[in-house]
Amino acid sequence: MRSGAYTSCSRCSPGAPTRAPGCCPAASSIDGRDKGLVLPQAWPANLLGSTYIRVIGATYDVETINAIDYLLAERRIAEGDRIGHVYFEGDYGENALAGSEYAAKQAGLTVVEQKTKPTDNDMTAQVAALKQAGVKAVVVSAGPRRAALLVGVAAATGFRVPVIGNNSAYAPQLLKTQAGPALMKDYYVAASTLPIGDPGAGPAELCEEYAAAYPKDGLDNGSSPGTRRPGCTGRR
């Protein structure tokens, strides 16, 4: 995905290996001392309630609930089924897991958990465990590379189930990798806001303006925050 000119906190980012209460150590100082407006490029639920930190879009738990609801609506899973959830430890993955657990309880599903780390370069063990458990679908709350590894290994081993990832579990560059065909076949991405390809007025206008300004660049959901966030502060 196209990278922006911003500084991210390693403890807030999707790749964070450990859990950080309040998401970032700076959160308390932002509310208590600095009092500066912060629009994070992250969606953990524990940022909600802050006066100065504003999360734009659905948090990871709500995003995951919507993802599972989509699979139910499309009849890819049903009551009584098991679903897998591969996730990073930390605010991103654990918040998403809370969403899948809630959705599972409401729909009569069982969640089979599998943790992964940003440093993992092989998803064979996770795929084997989920296949052995008989899951009918998999939710991925990890980075794009881990998601591609998971889908690639699943396809190579004949494990054919729908896989749906959170908004941080995809980058269009993945389509040019060996996992590209498998991703196109049965991989889905949940989004915290309207995706860049939505036909609505906002995304359509952004697509047109961005393509005119950067005709050689591709468009993805990473292109929208730089437009959306200045708009929230009244400046463009």
Side-chain angles (χ1 to χ4, degrees):
M1 303 183 87
R2 186 180 176 86
S3 60
Y6 63 87
T7 300
S8 64
C9 170
S10 63
R11 300 187 74 188
C12 299
S13 67
T18 57
R19 181 169 180 79
C23 185
C24 177
S28 59
S29 65
I30 290 170
D31 276 337
R33 184 188 64 198
D34 300 331
K35 296 180 172 31
L37 178 63
V38 176
L39 303 173
Q41 185 65 4
W43 296 265
N46 60 6
L47 287 182
L48 299 177
S50 168
T51 302
Y52 299 97
I53 302 175
R54 300 300 176 91
V55 178
I56 300 175
T59 50
Y60 294 124
D61 51 347
V62 174
E63 189 177 80
T64 306
I65 291 169
N66 289 336
I68 293 173
D69 185 62
Y70 169 79
L71 294 175
L72 287 163
E74 292 295 310
R75 298 184 179 181
R76 303 302 303 275
I77 55 175
E79 182 178 359
D81 285 346
R82 292 183 174 186
I83 59 172
H85 196 144
V86 179
Y87 65 98
F88 280 161
E89 294 180 273
D91 292 301
Y92 167 34
E94 290 175 21
N95 187 210
L97 179 64
S100 66
E101 289 175 337
Y102 175 85
K105 183 177 180 180
Q106 299 301 310
L109 305 169
T110 300
V111 178
V112 179
E113 301 178 27
Q114 285 292 309
K115 295 181 181 178
T116 184
K117 299 178 181 178
T119 54
D120 288 344
N121 292 314
D122 186 359
M123 301 293 284
T124 303
Q126 288 88 344
V127 170
L130 295 174
K131 188 175 182 179
Q132 179 67 29
V135 304
K136 301 299 184 182
V138 179
V139 178
V140 182
S141 304
R145 188 162 184 269
R146 247 47 60 183
L149 286 171
L150 175 76
V151 172
V153 172
T157 57
F159 184 41
R160 297 181 176 87
V161 298
V163 181
I164 191 163
N166 289 94
N167 76 80
S168 298
Y170 176 73
Q173 291 85 349
L174 297 177
L175 298 181
K176 296 181 180 180
T177 68
Q178 291 182 337
L183 288 167
M184 289 293 293
K185 186 175 182 180
D186 215 6
Y187 183 68
Y188 307 88
V189 183
S192 61
T193 58
L194 284 177
I196 195 69
D198 189 89
E205 180 183 358
L206 173 57
C207 282
E208 183 179 351
E209 293 179 356
Y210 193 94
Y214 307 100
K216 296 182 180 180
D217 292 343
L219 270 170
D220 58 43
N221 285 342
S223 305
S224 61
T227 299
R228 182 174 66 241
R229 283 164 168 75
C232 292
T233 61
R235 297 186 299 170
R236 284 185 179 271

